[in-house]
């Protein structure tokens, strides 16, 4: 009897492989039991005690297949053997630069690859905070922040002071792009897609770029990019960042070529005397397609 009770407790806590086993355990225990054989990155199926089944669908991945088993999503950055930084457990193969030459971010999906490089050469060593890496002073008082997400990454340019906003290099800057088996495409709405070069299916996508100031929460003494970018922003339902409710916002113009993305921030927002710093420029939020 003790063995049966222990097995039942384990089934409730950990789930069981088949629908038949899950239904039997749920009816016997009076509790829901997961059908582990039906687990997916964005889906969980449970058997209920009344004999029915419930499927829960998630907008973003909640788990990933790693090392021959399912692992909960964990965007925390860890150092890899080659020196680069990568999230512990996400659905896409994402790496961030440890500084120096080369791309600041790279994503690989099923043999396809996209890498982004900051104009101007070497990057400083990043400051790591949880799921984000901050490259400070890529321009004077301007920081580059990259953030791991469940199915990709996002990146932001943080302009910390009014003096930094006057830098002519912010009038128009180019992010280098290197791709493998992908073709970049700008949509009619100004969003960005990376298509499989053969099938033309959407592999990666990003919303239209936008920028915002700190709103009433701005602190002129703030110089830490992490606090600037993420302390004043909120997480959206889609998993990305949104401006604070009282922020001034403006679109960022974008020109798309196969080897570069040209970004043209709003000079009106950067130079307006009423702008509250820091200002966050969200060039693109690079994620695997949520609509595929």
């Amino acid at each position: 009897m003790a063995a049966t009770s222990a097995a039942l407790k384990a089934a409730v806590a950990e789930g069981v492989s088949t629908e038949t086993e899950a239904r039997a355990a749920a009816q016997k225990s009076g509790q829901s039991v997961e059908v582990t054989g039906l687990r997916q990155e964005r889906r969980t199926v449970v058997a209920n005690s009344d004999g029915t089944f419930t499927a829960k669908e998630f907008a973003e991945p909640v788990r990933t297949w790693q090392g021959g088993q399912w692992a909960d999503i964990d965007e925390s950055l860890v150092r890899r053997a080659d020196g680069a930084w990568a999230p512990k457990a996400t659905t896409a193969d994402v790496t961030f630069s440890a500084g120096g030459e080369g791309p600041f971010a790279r994503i690989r999906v099923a043999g396809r690859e996209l890498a982004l490089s900051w104009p101007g050469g070497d990057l400083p060593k990043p400051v790591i905070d949880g799921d984000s890496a901050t490259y400070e002073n890529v321009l004077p008082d301007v920081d580059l922040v990259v953030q791991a997400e469940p199915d990709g990454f996002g990146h932001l340019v943080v302009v910390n002071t009014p003096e930094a906003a006057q830098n002519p290099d912010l009038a128009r800057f180019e992010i280098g792009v290197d791709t493998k088996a992908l073709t970049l495409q700008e949509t009619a709405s100004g969003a960005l897609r990376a298509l499989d070069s053969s099938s033309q299916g959407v592999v990666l996508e990003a919303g239209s770029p936008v920028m915002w100031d700190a709103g009433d929460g701005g602190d002129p003494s703030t110089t830490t990019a992490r606090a600037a970018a993420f302390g004043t922003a909120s997480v959206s339902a889609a998993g990305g960042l949104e401006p604070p409710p009282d922020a001034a916002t403006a679109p960022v113009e974008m020109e798309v070529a196969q080897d570069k993305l040209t970004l043209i921030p709003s000079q009106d927002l950067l130079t307006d005397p009423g702008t509250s710093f820091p200002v966050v420029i969200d060039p693109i939020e690079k994620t695997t397609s949520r609509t595929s």
Side-chain angles (χ1 to χ4, degrees), residues 5 15 27 31 56-57 61 93 108 131-132 136 151 159 170 178 181 203 209 223 234 279 288:
S5 177
Q27 290 176 330
Q31 301 179 59
K56 296 180 180 179
E57 303 282 350
D93 180 5
R108 299 178 179 90
D131 61 1
S132 72
E136 297 180 334
D151 55 356
V159 184
L170 284 178
D178 186 24
V203 178
T223 57
S234 62
V279 169
T288 55

Side-chain angles (χ1 to χ4, degrees), residues 228-248:
F230 299 106
T232 61
S234 62
V235 178
S236 71
L241 287 169
E242 291 182 340
D246 56 354

